[in-house]
Short mmCIF file of all heavy atoms in Angstrom, two decimals:
data_model
loop_
_atom_site.label_atom_id
_atom_site.label_comp_id
_atom_site.label_asym_id
_atom_site.label_seq_id
_atom_site.Cartn_x
_atom_site.Cartn_y
_atom_site.Cartn_z
N ALA A 110 65.51 31.45 153.84
CA ALA A 110 65.39 32.45 152.77
C ALA A 110 63.93 32.52 152.36
O ALA A 110 63.26 31.49 152.25
CB ALA A 110 66.26 32.07 151.58
N GLU A 111 63.46 33.72 152.12
CA GLU A 111 62.04 33.95 151.83
C GLU A 111 61.92 34.72 150.53
O GLU A 111 62.59 35.74 150.32
CB GLU A 111 61.45 34.75 152.99
CG GLU A 111 59.95 34.78 153.07
CD GLU A 111 59.52 35.49 154.34
OE1 GLU A 111 59.39 34.82 155.38
OE2 GLU A 111 59.33 36.72 154.31
N PHE A 112 61.05 34.25 149.63
CA PHE A 112 60.84 34.92 148.34
C PHE A 112 59.38 35.34 148.20
O PHE A 112 58.48 34.50 148.25
CB PHE A 112 61.23 34.00 147.18
CG PHE A 112 60.93 34.59 145.82
CD1 PHE A 112 61.73 35.60 145.31
CD2 PHE A 112 59.85 34.13 145.08
CE1 PHE A 112 61.45 36.15 144.06
CE2 PHE A 112 59.56 34.67 143.84
CZ PHE A 112 60.36 35.69 143.32
N ASN A 113 59.15 36.64 148.04
CA ASN A 113 57.80 37.18 147.83
C ASN A 113 57.45 37.14 146.34
O ASN A 113 58.26 37.52 145.49
CB ASN A 113 57.71 38.63 148.31
CG ASN A 113 58.02 38.77 149.77
OD1 ASN A 113 57.58 37.97 150.59
ND2 ASN A 113 58.79 39.79 150.12
N PHE A 114 56.23 36.70 146.02
CA PHE A 114 55.82 36.65 144.63
C PHE A 114 55.54 38.05 144.07
O PHE A 114 55.64 38.27 142.87
CB PHE A 114 54.58 35.76 144.48
CG PHE A 114 54.90 34.30 144.56
CD1 PHE A 114 54.82 33.63 145.77
CD2 PHE A 114 55.29 33.60 143.43
CE1 PHE A 114 55.12 32.28 145.84
CE2 PHE A 114 55.59 32.25 143.50
CZ PHE A 114 55.50 31.58 144.71
N PHE A 115 55.17 39.00 144.95
CA PHE A 115 54.94 40.39 144.54
C PHE A 115 55.94 41.29 145.25
O PHE A 115 56.58 40.88 146.22
CB PHE A 115 53.51 40.83 144.88
CG PHE A 115 52.44 39.97 144.29
CD1 PHE A 115 51.32 39.62 145.02
CD2 PHE A 115 52.55 39.49 142.99
CE1 PHE A 115 50.32 38.82 144.48
CE2 PHE A 115 51.57 38.69 142.43
CZ PHE A 115 50.45 38.36 143.18
N HIS A 116 56.05 42.53 144.78
CA HIS A 116 56.87 43.54 145.47
C HIS A 116 56.14 43.94 146.75
O HIS A 116 55.20 44.74 146.70
CB HIS A 116 57.09 44.75 144.58
CG HIS A 116 58.08 44.51 143.48
ND1 HIS A 116 58.57 45.52 142.70
CD2 HIS A 116 58.66 43.38 143.04
CE1 HIS A 116 59.41 45.02 141.81
NE2 HIS A 116 59.48 43.72 142.00
N TYR A 117 56.56 43.38 147.86
CA TYR A 117 55.84 43.59 149.11
C TYR A 117 56.23 44.92 149.76
O TYR A 117 57.40 45.17 150.06
CB TYR A 117 56.13 42.44 150.07
CG TYR A 117 55.42 42.55 151.39
CD1 TYR A 117 54.04 42.45 151.47
CD2 TYR A 117 56.13 42.76 152.57
CE1 TYR A 117 53.37 42.54 152.66
CE2 TYR A 117 55.47 42.85 153.79
CZ TYR A 117 54.10 42.74 153.82
OH TYR A 117 53.45 42.84 155.03
N GLY A 118 55.25 45.78 149.99
CA GLY A 118 55.53 47.07 150.61
C GLY A 118 54.30 47.96 150.55
O GLY A 118 53.23 47.57 150.08
N ILE A 119 54.49 49.17 151.01
CA ILE A 119 53.39 50.14 151.03
C ILE A 119 53.95 51.52 150.72
O ILE A 119 55.04 51.88 151.18
CB ILE A 119 52.67 50.13 152.41
CG1 ILE A 119 51.43 51.00 152.38
CG2 ILE A 119 53.61 50.55 153.53
CD1 ILE A 119 50.59 50.88 153.64
N GLY A 120 53.25 52.28 149.90
CA GLY A 120 53.64 53.66 149.64
C GLY A 120 54.37 53.88 148.34
O GLY A 120 54.24 54.94 147.73
N ASP A 121 55.15 52.91 147.88
CA ASP A 121 55.93 53.09 146.65
C ASP A 121 55.14 52.57 145.46
O ASP A 121 55.47 51.54 144.87
CB ASP A 121 57.27 52.37 146.76
CG ASP A 121 58.19 53.04 147.77
OD1 ASP A 121 57.81 54.10 148.28
OD2 ASP A 121 59.28 52.51 148.02
N GLY A 122 54.09 53.28 145.09
CA GLY A 122 53.23 52.84 144.01
C GLY A 122 53.95 52.73 142.68
O GLY A 122 53.67 51.84 141.88
N TYR A 123 54.92 53.61 142.42
CA TYR A 123 55.63 53.59 141.15
C TYR A 123 56.53 52.36 141.03
O TYR A 123 56.98 52.02 139.94
CB TYR A 123 56.45 54.87 140.99
CG TYR A 123 57.67 54.96 141.89
CD1 TYR A 123 58.94 54.65 141.41
CD2 TYR A 123 57.54 55.36 143.21
CE1 TYR A 123 60.05 54.74 142.23
CE2 TYR A 123 58.64 55.45 144.03
CZ TYR A 123 59.89 55.14 143.54
OH TYR A 123 60.99 55.22 144.36
N LYS A 124 56.77 51.67 142.16
CA LYS A 124 57.56 50.43 142.14
C LYS A 124 56.65 49.20 142.15
O LYS A 124 57.11 48.09 142.32
CB LYS A 124 58.49 50.38 143.34
CG LYS A 124 59.58 51.44 143.31
CD LYS A 124 60.51 51.32 144.51
CE LYS A 124 61.60 52.37 144.48
NZ LYS A 124 62.50 52.27 145.65
N ASP A 125 55.36 49.43 141.95
CA ASP A 125 54.37 48.35 141.91
C ASP A 125 54.37 47.53 143.20
O ASP A 125 54.27 46.31 143.18
CB ASP A 125 54.63 47.44 140.70
CG ASP A 125 53.44 46.53 140.41
OD1 ASP A 125 52.30 46.92 140.73
OD2 ASP A 125 53.65 45.43 139.86
N THR A 126 54.51 48.20 144.33
CA THR A 126 54.46 47.50 145.61
C THR A 126 53.02 47.14 145.96
O THR A 126 52.08 47.83 145.56
CB THR A 126 55.05 48.36 146.74
OG1 THR A 126 54.35 49.61 146.79
CG2 THR A 126 56.52 48.61 146.53
N ARG A 127 52.87 46.06 146.70
CA ARG A 127 51.55 45.58 147.10
C ARG A 127 51.55 45.28 148.59
O ARG A 127 52.54 44.81 149.15
CB ARG A 127 51.18 44.32 146.32
CG ARG A 127 51.22 44.52 144.81
CD ARG A 127 50.63 43.35 144.08
NE ARG A 127 50.82 43.45 142.64
CZ ARG A 127 50.32 42.61 141.76
NH1 ARG A 127 49.57 41.59 142.19
NH2 ARG A 127 50.54 42.76 140.48
N ARG A 128 50.41 45.54 149.20
CA ARG A 128 50.29 45.33 150.65
C ARG A 128 50.15 43.86 151.01
O ARG A 128 50.28 43.49 152.18
CB ARG A 128 49.08 46.10 151.19
CG ARG A 128 49.17 47.59 150.96
CD ARG A 128 47.95 48.30 151.50
NE ARG A 128 47.93 48.32 152.96
CZ ARG A 128 47.32 49.24 153.69
NH1 ARG A 128 46.69 50.23 153.08
NH2 ARG A 128 47.32 49.19 155.00
N ILE A 129 49.89 43.02 150.04
CA ILE A 129 49.71 41.60 150.29
C ILE A 129 50.54 40.80 149.30
O ILE A 129 50.66 41.19 148.14
CB ILE A 129 48.22 41.21 150.21
CG1 ILE A 129 48.02 39.77 150.69
CG2 ILE A 129 47.67 41.42 148.82
CD1 ILE A 129 46.55 39.40 150.88
N SER A 130 51.14 39.71 149.78
CA SER A 130 51.94 38.88 148.88
C SER A 130 52.05 37.46 149.40
O SER A 130 52.33 37.25 150.59
CB SER A 130 53.35 39.46 148.71
OG SER A 130 54.13 38.63 147.87
N PRO A 131 51.84 36.47 148.55
CA PRO A 131 52.19 35.10 148.93
C PRO A 131 53.71 34.94 148.83
O PRO A 131 54.38 35.70 148.13
CB PRO A 131 51.47 34.25 147.88
CG PRO A 131 51.33 35.15 146.70
CD PRO A 131 51.22 36.55 147.24
N TYR A 132 54.26 33.95 149.52
CA TYR A 132 55.70 33.73 149.47
C TYR A 132 56.02 32.26 149.72
O TYR A 132 55.19 31.48 150.21
CB TYR A 132 56.43 34.62 150.48
CG TYR A 132 56.12 34.34 151.93
CD1 TYR A 132 56.87 33.43 152.67
CD2 TYR A 132 55.08 35.01 152.58
CE1 TYR A 132 56.59 33.19 154.01
CE2 TYR A 132 54.79 34.77 153.91
CZ TYR A 132 55.55 33.86 154.62
OH TYR A 132 55.26 33.62 155.94
N ILE A 133 57.24 31.87 149.36
CA ILE A 133 57.75 30.55 149.67
C ILE A 133 58.98 30.72 150.56
O ILE A 133 59.64 31.77 150.53
CB ILE A 133 58.12 29.76 148.41
CG1 ILE A 133 59.09 30.55 147.53
CG2 ILE A 133 56.86 29.40 147.63
CD1 ILE A 133 59.57 29.77 146.31
N VAL A 134 59.27 29.71 151.35
CA VAL A 134 60.37 29.81 152.31
C VAL A 134 61.05 28.45 152.45
O VAL A 134 60.40 27.40 152.38
CB VAL A 134 59.84 30.31 153.68
CG1 VAL A 134 58.81 29.36 154.26
CG2 VAL A 134 60.96 30.54 154.66
N ALA A 135 62.36 28.45 152.63
CA ALA A 135 63.13 27.22 152.85
C ALA A 135 64.43 27.58 153.53
O ALA A 135 64.94 28.71 153.40
CB ALA A 135 63.39 26.50 151.53
N GLY A 136 65.00 26.64 154.28
CA GLY A 136 66.25 26.93 154.97
C GLY A 136 66.79 25.72 155.69
O GLY A 136 66.60 24.58 155.26
N ILE A 137 67.45 25.97 156.81
CA ILE A 137 68.04 24.91 157.61
C ILE A 137 68.02 25.33 159.08
O ILE A 137 68.04 26.54 159.39
CB ILE A 137 69.49 24.61 157.15
CG1 ILE A 137 69.99 23.31 157.79
CG2 ILE A 137 70.41 25.79 157.44
CD1 ILE A 137 71.26 22.81 157.17
N GLY A 138 67.95 24.36 159.96
CA GLY A 138 67.92 24.67 161.38
C GLY A 138 68.14 23.43 162.21
O GLY A 138 68.71 22.44 161.73
N PHE A 139 67.70 23.47 163.44
CA PHE A 139 67.79 22.29 164.30
C PHE A 139 66.54 22.18 165.15
O PHE A 139 65.83 23.17 165.39
CB PHE A 139 69.05 22.32 165.17
CG PHE A 139 69.01 23.35 166.27
CD1 PHE A 139 68.38 23.10 167.48
CD2 PHE A 139 69.63 24.59 166.09
CE1 PHE A 139 68.35 24.05 168.48
CE2 PHE A 139 69.59 25.55 167.10
CZ PHE A 139 68.95 25.27 168.30
N SER A 140 66.25 20.98 165.58
CA SER A 140 65.13 20.74 166.48
C SER A 140 65.63 19.90 167.64
O SER A 140 66.47 19.01 167.47
CB SER A 140 63.98 20.02 165.76
OG SER A 140 64.42 18.78 165.23
N ALA A 141 65.11 20.19 168.83
CA ALA A 141 65.54 19.48 170.03
C ALA A 141 64.33 19.16 170.88
O ALA A 141 63.39 19.95 170.98
CB ALA A 141 66.54 20.33 170.81
#
């Protein structure tokens, strides 16, 4: 799961979207 600190996007200025955003990520998987 990934969470963007800003509204990540382009073109929707009225939604305060930004072309750049830091984010955090965490989940589950496997390694072999």
Side-chain angles (χ1 to χ4, degrees):
E111 196 174 271
F112 175 75
N113 299 318
F114 285 93
F115 304 139
H116 285 190
Y117 181 66
I119 187 172
D121 291 354
Y123 72 99
K124 293 182 180 179
D125 195 28
T126 56
R127 304 189 187 186
R128 300 179 71 154
I129 189 170
S130 178
Y132 65 90
I133 55 176
V134 61
I137 192 168
F139 70 83
S140 59

